[in-house]
Amino acid sequence: MNPYNTLRSLAPDQRHSLLILFVTGLLYWIGMTILLPTLPLYVEHLGGSKQQIGLVMGSFAIGLIFSRTWLGEMADHRGRKIIVIIGTVVAAIAPFGYILSNSILPLIAVRAFNGISVAAFTTGYNALVTDLAPAKQRGEIIGYMNLVAPLGMAIGPALGGILLGRVGYVWLFVLTAIAGFLTFILAIQVQENPNIVLSSGQPKDQNSPSRSFWQLLSSRSLLVPSLIFLLMGMMFGVLVTFLPLFKREMAGLFYSVAAIASFSARFFVGQASDRYGRGLFITLSLISYTLSMILLCVGDSSQLFVVAAILEGSGGGILIPMLLALISDRSLSSQRGRVFAVSVSGFDVGIAISGPLLGFLNWEYRPMFALAASFAALALLLFMSQSSKNLTHSLRFALGQEPDRYAVEEHS
């Protein structure tokens, strides 16, 4: 089934909300990723050292970590839409903080505040998409709807480099704020699935037990995906913090090529995972990530750099929607906001740890990417050995030889 036929098979209100969400997400990620290659240069422009650049970029995760859990709770009890709106409002405000900041400490505070935007938007967006998607098409629709991130990343970093050269930092931040305001206008038009959240604000599955943060995290079915998110966050923290400094003239190219590869992977993998399971595709994505970081560590040619970008984009294009689909399969709709918040918070912690830590260690760039490769390899080993009830089941699930034994019955 192609995307057009998939959309046509949905109810009109579902289709309308998903289309608005898609446009909202695309514009949101364009605005966010404009800053990927430009913000480290802005910190350096203000006189920041390598360590300070790591602190500023890593502080983004502070806002993510301290806001994602309560935002997840709010998503389950107040609805997903309000969380998306919070994310867009912060995205519209935060860029003005960068304009007003002329030293490192204020930049750290603004960057942490900016992190709340991503925590809110991704939690609300992914929960909304999952609520609106029929269970039998969940992987496919999550895959299509998560195309917004690679598409935004294909446009945003390249656009950021062009704007920086033509209008400078101030107007770059102003245009980013305008993008955030436009996403707010779009987000308020989205309609939630009334079968998930009632008008009283209480989850429909009132008879299902409510689990705390630590109860969710201690569940093996969610702990392993959370640890994989953690390791991938540590890898991504290295990439987003130090790649623009390691390959100044080629960072925009890397992000654009990676985004195209991510788009291509997500376009095909979602539907296939509904048929063949999530495990095989998660394994392939972690292999791609590992090889990408190895190439960044040892490669010298522009050709290998492009290959590394393709592998990194393919890995992200497969891993993120597959992990989201996996934790959706393993959770009840009434707890999905909290489940997403708990699991994806591992990614936030990873970003918070890796950038500042490696900045303080002051390593050369190639050893940093060697360490990033080890994070991806460890995630692969963890998934292949611990993703199911025992080693044998884990290995079979990771190779696509058996279904997910932690999946729960979902009430559509």
Side-chain angles (χ1 to χ4, degrees), residues 135 138 211 219-222 225 273-274 277-279 322-333 336 339 387-389 393 397 402-411:
R138 180 179 294 149
R211 293 184 288 173
S219 167
R220 181 169 174 171
S221 64
L222 297 177
S273 76
D274 286 331
R278 323 298 186 196
M322 287 303 96
L323 280 179
L324 290 173
L326 183 71
I327 61 180
S328 297
D329 295 340
R330 296 177 173 188
S331 63
L332 296 169
S333 60
R336 194 162 287 142
V339 168
S387 59
S388 192
K389 294 183 180 293
H393 289 307
F397 174 60
E402 68 174 45
D404 184 9
R405 293 180 176 270
Y406 286 124
V408 299
E409 289 294 329
E410 180 62 44
H411 302 286

Side-chain angles (χ1 to χ4, degrees), residues 150-179:
L151 281 173
M153 189 169 285
I155 299 169
L159 183 61
I162 293 170
L163 290 173
L164 180 60
R166 296 190 177 183
V167 302
Y169 289 110
V170 172
W171 277 106
L172 178 76
F173 294 134
V174 169
L175 291 172
T176 304
I178 291 172

